[in-house]
Amino acid sequence: MLHAVFPSFTEGLAGAFVRLVEEGGDDDIEFALHTLHNYIGEATLHPVAKAIVARLLGDDGRLGRVEILLENTGGVWGEFGIVDALRERKSLMTGWLDDRNALVKGFAERAIRHLDNRIAMEQRSAEMRKEQRKRDYE
């Protein structure tokens, strides 16, 4: 319902969610994670995601949900659309490396390594598909 009222995740909405996560409990973190999955990797999600990561221990399974939330690309176009989208996600994550919170910084390092691997895999896959199309139609 929130996505219907707020189709874009505004900075004001992000601020409200950050306060909810920082001041609330586990149920509030669950609410935030559940609600935010409707927003497709928007940059304004990052402050909320950082607040969630700062509250969770390194082995908490919900960190995987945060990573998915931040990697979500929605629809992409072109042969290398997913590669470009993942590079954009990585670019947004690099700012996290300067965070003073060790949990946030550690999460960012792992997420960036994961993104690097996905980018390389998607790049190879797109190049192979492109080459196969050239062979099929020449």
Side-chain angles (χ1 to χ4, degrees):
M1 183 168 99
L2 187 66
H3 188 262
V5 176
F6 296 99
S8 294
F9 196 73
T10 65
E11 289 183 19
L13 195 54
F17 269 90
V18 167
R19 284 188 299 282
L20 176 72
V21 168
E22 288 177 345
E23 298 169 6
D26 277 347
D27 288 341
D28 298 307
I29 291 172
E30 278 299 317
F31 172 76
L33 284 169
H34 181 73
T35 303
L36 299 180
H37 84 273
N38 290 313
Y39 295 95
I40 308 296
E42 296 178 36
T44 51
L45 292 173
H46 283 252
V48 182
K50 275 187 184 183
I52 292 170
V53 169
R55 294 279 316 271
L56 303 177
L57 297 177
D59 63 346
D60 193 306
R62 293 175 288 183
L63 290 170
R65 292 170 57 196
V66 174
E67 195 169 339
I68 291 168
L69 171 73
L70 296 172
E71 282 185 26
N72 196 351
T73 61
V76 296
W77 295 269
E79 292 173 331
F80 297 94
I82 190 72
V83 173
D84 294 338
L86 291 172
R87 284 185 178 139
E88 181 183 326
R89 300 304 185 264
K90 179 184 172 184
S91 175
L92 290 170
M93 287 297 305
T94 57
W96 291 43
L97 295 172
D98 297 329
D99 200 281
R100 287 179 275 173
N101 185 308
L103 293 171
V104 171
K105 187 174 181 176
F107 175 86
E109 289 168 350
R110 289 186 304 277
I112 288 171
R113 275 193 308 272
H114 178 76
L115 283 166
D116 282 338
N117 290 336
R118 283 205 55 208
I119 289 166
M121 180 185 72
E122 294 292 344
Q123 179 78 31
R124 281 189 303 272
S125 180
E127 288 170 357
M128 287 179 1
R129 286 189 307 270
K130 183 178 178 182
E131 184 62 33
Q132 187 62 47
R133 272 193 307 279
K134 281 170 67 175
R135 290 180 186 166
D136 288 346
Y137 296 105
E138 285 184 356

